Amino acid sequence: MAKTYSIPTYFILISFLINLISSLPLTWADVLPYQLHTLTIATRLRVDLDATAKAARDFGKLVQQTPAAVLYPSSIEDIVSLVKFSNNQPSPFTIAARGRGHSLGGQAMAPNGVVVDMTSLKNSSAGIGIKVTRNPVSGSYADVGGHQLWIDVLQATLEHGLAPVSWTDYLYLTVGGTLSNAGGSGQTFRHGPQISNVHEMDVITGKGELVTCSKETNSDLFYAVLGGLGQFGIITRARIPLEPAPKRVKWVRMLYDDFSTFSEDQEHLISINGLDYLEGSLITKQSPPNNWRSSFFSKSQYPIISSLLTKNGIIYSIEVVKYYDDLTGHTVDEELQELFKGLRFLPGLVFTKDVTLVDFLDRVHIGELQLQAKGLWDVPHPWLNLFVPKSRISDFNSGVFRDIILKTNQTVGPLLVYPMIRNKWDNGMSAAIPDEDIFYSIGLLHSSGADDWEPLENQNKEILKFCDKAGIKIKQYLPRYTTKADWMNHFGPKWKIFEDRKAQFDPKNILSPGQRIFNSI
Ligand code: FAD
């Protein structure tokens, strides 16, 4: 006989069921089309809090945007079918490739969309690894998956005695992530950024088409994707040129107490042949000589730096490197002396180290491990990265470094300033740079406590406002604009091409919504 319930019991049961349902996490079917469930990739889509919460954060820790699901692809085809599926929907959902999520402002996030965890391809035999092809005549190269970390590219190519020539300071970033921005470091003045050092790519467009592109084939896509902020396609393979790898490096830092002497010497050094790397930085009380970016100075060198700091409040350091190997080891010091002739660093304040190539290129990782051990790596990072035209770098120094940063005294972290050469960049690519032959790369790499990042963000805004008011035509690197007008201004004459290429390769605005160029969030 069927059981009957009294009316009060019935209501209790109903409200229990309602409570139960509302306490369950959303499933992908709640916000994404139900038919997604019928694709084979459904088993590799996760909607649990562990997966979505991780994809909702990045290195910056300033923005939090939760996706509906995270795809852990086991092959390139998995990503193709996801993008194709979305593109075929009447209301497509957004998709963001996520490398290591080392963006600073939510650029690899996809609120209510799907984040593709590119690094899971590493665990799959169907993913693209790192394949080196030696060719002494036409040039050696490596075919590397977009999900690969640069540190792995370095290790794998060194096994063949070869290495790429253009790097970022930190190597635990993905190839696809840095090629979507530019990938710059102290080698950029000589070899151009990483985007200037790519022969060919495989890219999944916003329509779900897997296309091979290069300067010769499908060149529009090639130029669009490099520096394209993830807007035109997902890079699944890049062909990177390789050169014979040097074994060791002479690593030198020299100190200055005057900004114009410091910047003039930097400009001189990038104008002559001979160096393999050049960067510069500011040393202040809040931005000490040794920090996570590099621990170059020894304890015995600290007292002299401290007394200079007390006297000047700020000092400047040029950092250069010359590579060498068995054949050139006996002449490298002499060559450096020749290159340094006429430089005006403070007398005697030049410091040299001799390390392996790997120790030099992987220098930031040591600082990372130290900060991680103290719980200070996984904290908010209100960074500001800019390119400043050479003609205004002196105004930038007085208005920003001296007037804003030094006076407010709240900056914590490395402060980078070093020149780059415009003709080492390819203006046909999407990356936006200043319209002068030489421009400076500025990195204000702040860290803060969990709740005190806002004053630093306000300082960043003040710096941008100052540049605007003073008519300094900066370009943001790793930009964090939110309005169409700002993006149009950022790309300047390139905006129309950028917009046209978006319409061509991702007409439904599916890819990388976290950049907030074509999607408002
Ligand atoms: P993510 O943050 O995951 O993604 C960045 C953007 O690219 C997102 O829009 C994402 O959707 C898109 N994307 C990711 N993978 C792909 C792909 N395969 N195809 C297409 N689009 C994709 N930058 C420099 O240039 N020089 C430096 O020296 C440097 N040093 C850094 C040091 C540290 C400690 C950190 C945290 C960052 C540094 N960066 C540097 C910045 C870095 O290049 C960018 O933050 C880069 O985006 C991070 O790479 P990622 O692999 O984590 O990419």
Side-chain angles (χ1 to χ4, degrees):
M1 205 172 80
K3 199 169 177 179
T4 55
Y5 292 104
S6 66
I7 288 196
T9 317
Y10 180 78
F11 275 118
I12 289 168
L13 259 176
I14 292 283
S15 66
F16 171 75
L17 277 174
I18 288 172
N19 278 337
L20 182 70
I21 289 165
S22 59
S23 68
L24 287 174
L26 287 176
T27 69
W28 56 266
D30 294 314
V31 270
L32 297 172
Y34 179 75
Q35 298 88 325
L36 189 50
H37 190 55
T38 60
L39 302 187
T40 43
I41 54 165
T43 56
R44 293 183 282 284
L45 272 171
R46 279 176 54 187
V47 295
D48 56 281
L49 205 60
D50 260 5
T52 56
K54 189 173 160 240
R57 301 308 301 263
D58 61 18
F59 186 79
K61 288 223 165 1
L62 309 172
V63 174
Q64 189 165 352
Q65 304 277 2
T66 310
V70 180
L71 175 70
Y72 295 86
S74 64
S75 65
I76 307 294
E77 288 69 40
D78 280 359
I79 310 173
V80 169
S81 54
L82 179 78
V83 180
K84 227 176 220 160
F85 176 83
S86 176
N87 186 54
N88 288 336
Q89 296 304 303
S91 305
F93 52 87
T94 57
I95 296 170
R98 177 183 163 100
R100 273 203 86 209
H102 271 39
S103 288
L104 286 312
Q107 289 92 336
M109 295 179 194
N112 293 326
V114 178
V115 166
V116 180
D117 185 324
M118 297 297 288
T119 57
S120 74
L121 284 172
K122 206 172 168 185
N123 309 323
S124 150
S125 52
I128 294 183
I130 301 168
K131 189 170 166 264
V132 173
T133 302
R134 270 183 163 282
N135 192 330
V137 181
S138 61
S140 302
Y141 56 81
D143 284 303
V144 307
H147 60 283
Q148 295 287 349
L149 300 184
W150 284 104
I151 180 69
D152 296 326
V153 176
L154 174 64
Q155 301 288 9
T157 53
L158 279 181
E159 282 176 22
H160 300 261
L162 300 166
V165 293
S166 185
W167 296 98
T168 44
D169 287 354
Y170 175 61
L171 304 185
Y172 288 72
L173 303 167
T174 64
V175 169
T178 69
L179 293 184
S180 297
N181 287 296
S185 179
Q187 295 87 0
T188 304
F189 83 89
R190 179 151 180 203
H191 298 286
Q194 290 177 323
I195 53 172
S196 297
N197 291 277
V198 181
H199 286 332
E200 181 183 286
M201 288 180 290
D202 288 340
V203 170
I204 302 167
T205 69
K207 297 180 197 166
E209 292 160 347
L210 181 60
V211 180
T212 300
C213 58
S214 66
K215 283 186 181 170
E216 291 77 34
T217 311
N218 297 310
S219 58
D220 270 4
L221 183 61
F222 182 78
Y223 285 108
V225 165
L226 292 169
L229 306 175
Q231 294 306 301
F232 310 101
I234 298 178
I235 303 163
T236 57
R237 176 185 65 93
R239 179 167 290 178
I240 313 286
L242 304 174
E243 294 285 337
K247 289 207 172 94
R248 297 191 66 88
V249 318
K250 290 280 179 188
W251 186 6
V252 184
R253 288 184 74 163
M254 34 209 145
L255 301 182
Y256 292 74
D257 59 2
D258 173 63
F259 185 80
S260 50
T261 320
F262 157 76
S263 57
E264 280 162 26
D265 274 1
Q266 289 202 82
E267 287 166 24
H268 165 71
L269 286 169
I270 64 164
S271 74
I272 55 174
N273 275 334
L275 290 176
D276 295 295
Y277 165 104
L278 177 140
E279 287 198 7
S281 54
L282 270 59
I283 301 175
T284 68
K285 284 238 156 58
Q286 300 289 79
S287 183
N290 281 349
N291 50 49
W292 57 262
R293 213 192 121 259
S294 94
S295 290
F296 179 91
F297 293 101
S298 67
K299 283 245 154 59
S300 63
Q301 290 157 350
Y302 254 65
I304 183 144
I305 298 173
S306 292
S307 73
L308 270 173
L309 261 185
T310 312
K311 203 167 118 212
N312 295 294
I314 189 165
I315 47 177
Y316 310 92
S317 163
I318 296 185
E319 176 179 40
V320 297
V321 155
K322 186 155 181 65
Y323 299 151
Y324 74 95
D325 51 30
D326 297 343
L327 278 179
T328 50
H330 64 289
T331 53
V332 65
D333 288 326
E334 225 173 282
E335 285 174 56
L336 275 174
Q337 287 318 312
E338 197 57 35
L339 292 169
F340 293 165
K341 267 192 185 150
L343 295 184
R344 289 164 295 160
F345 49 84
L346 292 166
L349 295 184
V350 52
F351 307 94
T352 307
K353 273 173 110 161
D354 189 325
V355 298
T356 65
L357 178 75
V358 176
D359 283 350
F360 170 68
L361 291 178
D362 199 23
R363 60 201 177 278
V364 174
H365 190 51
I366 299 165
E368 174 188 4
L369 295 177
Q370 286 165 353
L371 286 193
Q372 267 176 357
K374 294 183 202 156
L376 294 175
W377 183 253
D378 214 9
V379 297
H381 293 102
W383 288 10
L384 184 64
N385 291 80
L386 303 173
F387 294 141
V388 177
K390 168 190 149 169
S391 64
R392 304 302 304 274
I393 195 64
S394 156
D395 300 325
F396 188 88
N397 173 54
S398 40
V400 175
F401 292 140
R402 289 219 160 259
D403 271 1
I404 300 179
I405 292 187
L406 209 58
K407 278 189 188 150
T408 48
N409 200 26
Q410 58 185 3
T411 290
V412 182
L415 301 171
L416 306 183
V417 46
Y418 58 94
M420 294 182 166
I421 303 177
R422 192 171 207 277
N423 72 14
K424 299 286 179 185
W425 296 61
D426 187 329
N427 200 35
M429 292 171 185
S430 291
I433 54 173
D435 207 8
E436 273 187 27
D437 292 347
I438 307 246
F439 59 89
Y440 278 79
S441 173
I442 307 285
L444 313 178
L445 312 183
H446 305 132
S447 306
S448 81
D451 301 318
D452 54 5
W453 51 267
E454 245 174 324
L456 287 162
E457 273 290 80
N458 290 338
Q459 180 177 284
N460 290 340
K461 283 184 196 147
E462 195 187 340
I463 292 169
L464 292 173
K465 219 162 147 190
F466 163 79
C467 292
D468 193 31
K469 236 171 129 190
I472 303 178
K473 292 199 166 53
I474 54 112
K475 294 285 175 200
Q476 277 194 40
Y477 180 55
L478 315 170
R480 291 199 267 141
Y481 294 118
T482 51
T483 67
K484 189 172 174 188
D486 281 340
W487 281 112
M488 287 171 74
N489 184 40
H490 174 73
F491 285 108
K494 285 188 179 178
W495 170 253
K496 176 82 178 69
I497 304 168
F498 199 84
E499 209 178 26
D500 288 350
R501 285 172 173 169
K502 183 71 174 177
Q504 190 182 350
F505 299 117
D506 181 22
K508 298 188 179 169
N509 296 342
I510 289 171
L511 299 176
S512 283
Q515 299 277 4
R516 296 191 275 188
I517 306 174
F518 298 101
N519 313 69
S520 51
I521 288 175

